[in-house]
Amino acid sequence: MTRPFTPADAIRTRFSEAMSAMYRAEVPLYGELLSIVAEVNATVLAERPDLAAELAAADEFDRLDVERHGAIRLGTAAELHMMRRAFAVMGMVPVGYYDLSVAGVPVHSTAFRPVDDGALAANPFRVFTSLLRLELIEDAGLRAEAETILSTRRIFTDEAIHLIERHEAQGGLDDADAGRFVLALLETFRWHGDARVDAATYDRLHEAHRLIADIVSFRGPHINHLTPRTLDIDAAQDAMQVRGIDAKAVIEGPPRRAVPILLRQTSFKAIEEDVIFPGEQPGQHTARFGEIEQRGAALTPKGRALYDRLLATARGEAGSQDASYADRLATAFAAFPDTVDALREQGLAWFRYELTEAGQRLVTTGGCRAGDIEDWLAAGHVRARPIVYEDFLPVSAAGIFQSNLGGTEQRSYAASAAQAAFEAALGSAVQDELALYAEVEARSMRAVREALRGAAAA
Ligand code: OOG
Ligand code: NI
């Protein structure tokens, strides 16, 4: 007798909901962020029915309320390997490689997320997952100690491992197993205030890097933030300030624009929490924070290069030091086209092409149509919609790491591409996010051509 498997999308949604409920109980300020975002989004949608219609047409309306990303930091290759297998149960695969050592943070990372259109529309839950780079701990004694400490911890419950293996053997999980899996995996992400190391060891790890203490000292890779998606991050930032939440001064990423691009993020500072060291010795640790983000168009390599250049200008490499950062950012980004047409015509963003109603009518009546995409766009039979950015921004990510590290640890490790070592630990290659966007665009063009040329032939 075989029972039907629960779809990965459903398991992912259940897990993301369970995680949200857990984080809300652990970090009550997160609950406040959720209510700010719900309020801001409701206001924006009420004021801008055009945007609501756009989101609905792009399959982004329904997912908005459930959309979250989280972040964890792992200690060993084996942990990362098992984590990949765990996320696979929920249809999440590693996309992108982020080397944060260039920003002085001794980790490298990927984002586990769904990649198919249908899965993204159902629930785009993503987890930014970092792996400690032990080799970047300079003190050989401390490095060996950290390695020994990590070698004896087990971050997955037996049940979680058992269900991951069952999923791999059967090709899926039935509903009861899926429910058990969600609860078992949740344990890995839970906060444990009882440190595995004594206070003196914690202090030495902390001295090497605050993040090293966060990764090595505890029983698991506690989720360190969970981020809802807002439609207006400036309004959300203002609302945070009005409520007296200790928000970061600056919104990371591009400035406010008519056509949002990439990712803008803001956060509240990490909270100080009580921990207990062995021997009932009390202490404190800061790791967990709250974050809000606004997502916009995914950029092509050309668009990304322009973005990076303008951001560097605003950050002062070539910009005036007199103006405020917000002003420098706005000035620099005046050079980035800000209409959908210009972004498309100049090849700066990725687009999804589809038939308009007129185009669809043509197909049904068997009308049309010689020419190609540009002609059909001009004739109003096809429209192009920017593809939303589903990934992360290393520079912003580093900024967020830094803002929660007190801003003192700015030293930067020698940049070195350790992607091969990361993928060896992971047990698979990471997917290239640019290839994913390019594929969505190419597929949509193919579908439009088939429909309209088919109609022409009919
Ligand atoms: C991850 C920071 C990266 C983002 O939104 O860019 C991130 C971390 O602090 O562990 O979540
Ligand atoms: Ni984040």
Side-chain angles (χ1 to χ4, degrees):
M1 183 195 79
T2 56
R3 283 163 296 181
F5 293 141
T6 300
D9 289 353
I11 308 180
R12 184 171 67 259
T13 289
R14 262 195 240 174
F15 184 74
S16 141
E17 278 168 4
M19 187 98 104
S20 189
M22 181 176 82
Y23 201 61
R24 202 176 181 137
E26 289 180 347
V27 182
L29 266 178
Y30 164 68
E32 270 207 63
L33 290 194
L34 290 186
S35 68
I36 287 173
V37 167
E39 242 168 65
V40 166
N41 289 358
T43 306
V44 172
L45 291 171
E47 283 169 2
R48 292 196 48 198
D50 58 314
L51 181 64
E54 272 295 307
L55 287 168
D59 270 347
E60 283 177 62
F61 190 84
D62 290 336
R63 77 182 218 185
L64 192 63
D65 285 342
V66 298
E67 184 159 352
R68 306 271 186 276
H69 86 251
I72 52 169
R73 303 151 184 171
L74 301 170
T76 68
E79 290 175 358
L80 180 64
H81 192 266
M82 185 59 79
M83 198 55 89
R84 173 180 60 74
R85 297 166 64 193
F87 282 130
V89 175
M90 303 186 276
M92 297 159 76
V93 297
V95 178
Y97 173 76
Y98 303 88
D99 178 6
L100 296 194
S101 71
V102 296
V105 181
V107 301
H108 45 182
S109 323
T110 191
F112 286 95
R113 67 168 178 88
V115 292
D116 298 343
D117 285 350
L120 285 165
N123 188 332
F125 184 57
R126 331 166 167 83
V127 178
F128 191 89
T129 302
S130 300
L131 175 64
L132 175 63
R133 290 178 65 184
L134 275 174
E135 75 276 16
L136 297 181
I137 301 181
E138 278 159 37
D139 177 338
L142 190 66
R143 191 188 318 138
E145 205 177 334
E147 195 169 2
T148 307
I149 295 165
L150 287 169
S151 73
T152 57
R153 83 169 178 185
R154 301 199 39 167
I155 64 167
F156 296 94
T157 65
D158 289 343
E159 173 147 81
I161 294 172
H162 172 70
L163 289 165
I164 289 166
E165 286 168 351
R166 176 174 291 177
H167 174 270
E168 288 169 354
Q170 298 179 160
L173 292 179
D174 69 24
D175 204 56
D177 278 348
R180 279 192 281 272
F181 169 78
V182 165
L183 290 181
L185 190 64
L186 203 58
E187 291 310 306
T188 302
F189 293 77
R190 190 183 293 286
W191 167 247
H192 301 282
D194 49 332
R196 291 181 76 229
V197 302
D198 59 30
T201 307
Y202 175 92
D203 288 344
R204 274 184 293 121
L205 293 166
H206 194 278
E207 182 64 22
H209 200 295
R210 213 147 140 172
L211 211 76
I212 298 175
D214 182 58
I215 296 172
V216 177
S217 306
F218 299 95
R219 285 201 273 143
H222 38 265
I223 177 95
N224 68 55
H225 66 284
L226 210 51
T227 302
R229 174 175 169 194
T230 181
L231 297 173
D232 183 347
I233 198 162
D234 300 284
Q237 171 93 337
D238 291 347
M240 275 164 81
Q241 267 143 14
V242 166
R243 294 201 193 198
I245 297 175
D246 190 9
K248 281 183 66 228
V250 168
I251 294 174
E252 301 275 353
R256 186 180 185 86
R257 299 166 51 82
V259 184
I261 52 170
L262 295 174
L263 185 59
R264 301 181 71 206
Q265 298 180 315
T266 183
S267 57
F268 64 70
K269 307 260 172 65
I271 52 175
E272 195 151 278
E273 31 210 341
D274 295 332
V275 298
I276 295 280
F277 294 105
E280 301 299 307
Q281 198 184 343
Q284 302 220 289
H285 179 68
T286 45
R288 300 187 305 154
F289 60 101
E291 181 185 59
I292 293 178
E293 69 189 8
Q294 179 172 3
R295 288 184 175 267
L299 300 184
T300 61
K302 182 183 173 196
R304 182 54 192 266
L306 179 58
Y307 168 81
D308 285 340
R309 187 161 65 71
L310 299 179
L311 191 67
T313 304
R315 292 206 168 194
E317 280 168 40
S320 151
Q321 294 303 321
D322 304 334
S324 74
Y325 178 67
D327 289 344
R328 294 207 307 273
L329 198 61
T331 307
F333 274 83
F336 205 111
D338 196 14
T339 66
V340 170
D341 289 343
L343 290 172
R344 199 184 63 80
E345 283 156 17
Q346 296 182 35
L348 297 170
W350 298 107
F351 283 83
R352 193 189 296 271
Y353 293 85
E354 54 197 31
L355 297 176
T356 59
E357 267 173 42
Q360 254 148 16
R361 268 200 306 278
L362 216 54
V363 171
T364 10
T365 55
C368 206
R369 203 31 63 157
D372 199 20
I373 305 272
E374 294 302 320
D375 311 301
W376 303 332
L377 277 164
H381 294 131
V382 167
R383 96 181 122 222
R385 219 187 273 294
I387 299 174
V388 70
Y389 188 58
E390 304 283 1
D391 294 287
F392 293 83
L393 291 176
V395 177
S396 295
I400 284 181
F401 271 110
Q402 293 297 352
S403 74
N404 288 293
L405 294 171
T408 51
E409 286 158 292
Q410 298 289 340
R411 76 198 92 148
S412 92
Y413 295 106
S416 66
Q419 184 167 348
F422 185 86
E423 292 181 330
L426 191 63
S428 91
V430 300
Q431 295 206 34
D432 174 2
E433 68 275 23
L434 290 172
L436 291 171
Y437 296 118
E439 175 53 28
V440 171
E441 183 177 284
R443 211 168 41 229
S444 74
M445 284 178 145
R446 267 200 307 275
V448 160
R449 285 194 180 110
E450 263 162 39
L452 284 176
R453 294 213 176 117

